[in-house]
Amino acid sequence: MTEPANSVYLDTSALVRMVECDVKNPSARNLHAGGPVAQLCAAEGPSVGLSSLTIVEFHNTLATNWRANNPGYKEFDQAWVERSQVKVMDLVARQRLILRSAPARAVEHALALVTLATRDHRNGLRVWDAIHLITAATWAHELQATVGLWTTDKDFGKFVDLFPHFKQFVQIRNLDQ
C-alpha cells in the first residue's frame, strides 16, 4: 500500500483553512493551505473522507473564531459561520465528503499512541489527531490503498516519521508547507 494516495482524509485544520478563505481578506496562510482543499472538494475525484469528529471540531473552531476579539478575526462572524457550515454539510449531502466512522476502540488506541509519543519522544500528537490518524489508516486498510491525510498540524508528520508503520497506510500532506 505504498502507491500514491487515491483517497484523501481531511483533518479539521484542513477543512477550517478551506472556509477561512471565504472572506474578503483571507490571510496568506489560509489561501496557501485552504486553496488546495477547496480545489479538492470541487473536483470530481479523488474520494475525500472525514469523520464525525472532524465535523464536531470544525463547528467548535468556527465558534472559537466567531468569539475571538482579535481584529484579524472580525470577518469570522455569524454569517461566515453559517455559510461555512452550509458549505461543508452540502458537500456531505452530495457525498463529495464521505463521513467515515472511527473504528472500535479508537479512543483507547489514541490514548496509547499519545502516551507513547509523549513519554518516549516528546512528540506533540494530540488525542483528537491520533483519532484522525487511526480513522484514516483504517480507511486505507479497507481500501487496500494508501490514503492521503491532509492537515496543517505539524505533529502528524513527525509522529509518522517516528512510527513508520503508519506510512503504509497514510501519506501526510502538511498544507502549510
Side-chain angles (χ1 to χ4, degrees):
M1 287 193 287
T2 57
E3 67 276 355
N6 290 325
S7 299
V8 174
Y9 179 93
L10 299 176
D11 88 330
T12 307
S13 67
L15 196 60
V16 168
R17 295 298 91 75
M18 177 183 76
V19 298
E20 286 177 340
C21 290
D22 293 340
V23 294
K24 287 183 184 179
N25 299 302
S27 72
R29 177 196 186 202
N30 291 341
L31 287 172
H32 178 77
V37 179
Q39 290 172 354
L40 176 70
C41 289
E44 296 276 330
S47 297
V48 183
L50 46 73
S51 68
S52 56
L53 173 61
T54 310
I55 299 294
V56 170
E57 283 187 300
F58 176 77
H59 180 80
N60 186 64
T61 303
L62 296 184
T64 299
N65 285 359
W66 182 10
R67 288 189 300 263
N69 290 323
N70 182 328
Y73 283 72
K74 68 182 178 184
E75 290 188 272
F76 302 133
D77 57 10
Q78 180 179 351
W80 170 78
V81 168
E82 291 170 356
R83 272 192 327 273
S84 299
Q85 290 170 331
V86 167
K87 180 177 190 168
V88 168
M89 295 315 291
D90 180 62
L91 290 167
V92 171
R94 291 188 296 117
Q95 297 182 347
R96 184 61 194 119
L97 294 177
I98 303 164
L99 275 175
R100 301 289 312 161
S101 297
R105 304 192 64 143
V107 171
E108 292 91 337
H109 292 148
L111 295 174
L113 290 177
V114 169
T115 299
L116 180 64
T118 301
R119 182 191 64 217
D120 296 352
H121 302 284
R122 308 302 286 169
N123 179 265
L125 186 74
R126 296 172 295 183
V127 171
W128 300 132
D129 295 335
I131 292 173
H132 288 302
L133 179 61
I134 291 164
T135 304
T138 300
W139 188 26
H141 181 72
E142 291 168 7
L143 295 171
Q144 292 295 298
T146 305
V147 169
L149 193 160
W150 289 18
T151 184
T152 61
D153 293 336
K154 62 184 177 198
D155 291 308
F156 272 113
K158 292 177 184 177
F159 179 85
V160 170
D161 286 343
L162 290 169
F163 299 94
H165 169 74
F166 283 98
K167 290 182 180 184
Q168 67 181 308
F169 300 105
V170 297
Q171 293 176 349
I172 305 298
R173 178 174 176 190
N174 188 317
L175 297 164
D176 281 338
Q177 297 174 346

